[in-house]
Amino acid sequence: MNAETISRVPVALTIAGSDSGGGAGIQADLRTFAFHCVHGTSAITCVTAQNTLGVARVDAMSPEAVAAQIQAVVEDIGVQAAKTGMLLNQGIIATVAQQVETLGINNLVVDPVMVSRTGAQLIDDNAIKTLRQQLIPLAAIITPNRYEAQILSGLPINTLDDMRAAAQVIHRNLKAKAVLVKGGGMQGNARGVDIWFDGQHLETLTTKQVDTKNTHGTGCTLSAAIASNLAKGQNLHQAVTQAKEYVTTALTYSLNIGQGQGPVGHFFQLLQNDG
Ligand SMILES: Nc1ncnc2c1ncn2[C@@H]1O[C@H](COP(=O)(O)OP(=O)(O)OP(=O)(O)O)[C@@H](O)[C@H]1O
Ligand SMILES: Cc1ncc(COP(=O)(O)O)c(N)n1
């Protein structure tokens, strides 16, 4: 049988941490890329010993090791889009920013991961300044959750109007080209509603609200889906709205595994449809 090689495949890169439980981080990102028929590449920043209950231990890679992974991928394979997730410390963030600039990585989605769903701190305190000053200005879009948007904007967030105000402040103060403030951590009707601001249009993105405790990895999945869609050539707004639809579906088919907050089901709608 002749081999049918595929040479025109979109490629995306995730620069993020490993989650041993498979729910978030690199593992969620690579599954999301695969779902979108995008070839997934990775630069691992740290290794977490983690499950659905929490994060037991974090071991950082050296900034040099992170840089070498990014270079190895970009210089040979090339990437059409990239996303960052858990970057952990100042040295790694500064290195990632430098590599993104030097290698000319476009379509960068920055998910400014700071705290896990289970409450574990995922970034050093002194690293947030470097994230703001060096990495966020390079992003096509940043995707803070409620907690991260509060830190980046300096505003308390309790309502949709607070999310709208935070999105505009982050856009103005941090020179982010576009901002998506995610509402997974909101209460009541605002849960699962996101706010988009690109400097001109302020939009409220709503999909159906999914009633589940298994939300581990939603943010990673969303940013990886945005990067996938950008790698496939979609414009930013379309990439975001389709990514949000995908996360809603993955939440609908979330996995009730482990004793805590289970992961979203990246492929389980396909199994369901197969009977
Ligand atoms: N219960 C829900 N129903 C519908 N959409 C949701 C729900 N929970 C989260 N989302 C959506 O999932 C996406 C991720 O948002 P969220 O605020 O959960 O990010 P996060 O806190 O960074 O996620 P993570 O759990 O990976 O840290 C957003 O588009 C959000 O609206
Ligand atoms: C390696 C890694 N990256 C990101 C998250 C955030 O995801 P969540 O808030 O769902 O725990 C995580 N827990 N672990």
Side-chain angles (χ1 to χ4, degrees):
M1 196 171 105
N2 289 332
E4 292 197 31
T5 56
I6 297 167
S7 47
R8 290 172 62 88
V9 61
V11 180
L13 167 68
T14 169
I15 307 170
S18 163
D19 170 1
S20 56
I26 290 277
Q27 288 81 356
D29 294 343
L30 292 178
R31 278 202 302 277
T32 303
F33 292 157
F35 179 90
H36 287 84
C37 296
V38 168
H39 176 68
T41 61
S42 61
I44 296 185
T45 57
C46 60
V47 175
T48 69
Q50 183 173 180
N51 56 26
T52 64
L53 294 170
V55 180
R57 179 183 166 115
V58 180
D59 287 278
M61 298 294 290
S62 68
E64 294 74 24
V66 177
Q69 294 172 79
I70 299 172
Q71 283 162 15
V73 170
V74 175
E75 287 171 356
D76 174 37
I77 303 168
V79 299
Q80 283 78 54
K83 67 147 281 188
T84 64
M86 181 175 174
L87 298 178
L88 190 64
N89 64 39
Q90 211 174 14
I92 293 176
I93 296 171
T95 298
V96 169
Q98 195 195 9
Q99 292 301 318
V100 167
E101 270 202 303
T102 312
L103 297 168
I105 296 176
N106 287 320
N107 292 327
L108 179 71
V109 182
V110 171
D111 183 5
V113 173
M114 295 181 191
V115 173
S116 80
R117 279 267 152 185
T118 48
Q121 187 161 345
L122 301 179
I123 190 168
D124 296 349
D125 285 334
N126 62 4
I128 295 176
K129 193 171 159 206
T130 314
L131 188 72
R132 301 167 80 107
Q133 292 180 344
Q134 297 186 26
L135 192 60
I136 289 177
L138 303 177
I141 183 166
I142 70 165
T143 61
N145 65 17
R146 176 188 182 181
Y147 172 81
E148 292 148 0
Q150 287 187 148
I151 292 187
L152 293 174
S153 67
L155 301 174
I157 299 181
N158 295 304
T159 64
L160 279 177
D161 275 341
D162 294 342
M163 290 170 70
R164 293 184 181 105
Q168 293 175 84
V169 166
I170 293 169
H171 182 273
R172 190 178 59 237
N173 291 357
L174 300 186
K175 313 220 175 341
K177 292 176 197 69
V179 182
L180 187 76
V181 176
K182 301 173 295 192
M186 299 294 285
Q187 309 289 327
N189 288 343
R191 187 181 181 206
V193 177
D194 300 344
I195 301 296
W196 154 280
F197 186 60
D198 63 1
Q200 291 189 316
H201 302 286
L202 185 65
E203 262 182 60
T204 306
L205 305 184
T206 311
T207 52
K208 76 172 173 164
Q209 201 177 66
V210 187
D211 185 17
T212 177
K213 71 171 173 55
N214 301 320
T215 56
H216 184 43
T218 45
C220 305
T221 301
L222 181 79
S223 53
I226 297 172
S228 302
N229 292 336
L230 290 174
K232 290 161 94 166
Q234 290 183 10
N235 70 43
L236 188 58
H237 188 268
Q238 190 184 18
V240 168
T241 51
Q242 291 202 5
K244 180 149 178 58
E245 292 292 340
Y246 174 62
V247 170
T248 309
T249 306
L251 270 164
T252 308
Y253 294 90
S254 72
L255 311 186
N256 212 12
I257 55 172
Q259 298 158 64
Q261 294 173 330
V264 300
H266 292 94
F267 283 99
F268 284 81
Q269 184 195 22
L270 302 178
L271 286 178
Q272 211 75 15
N273 292 344
D274 274 359

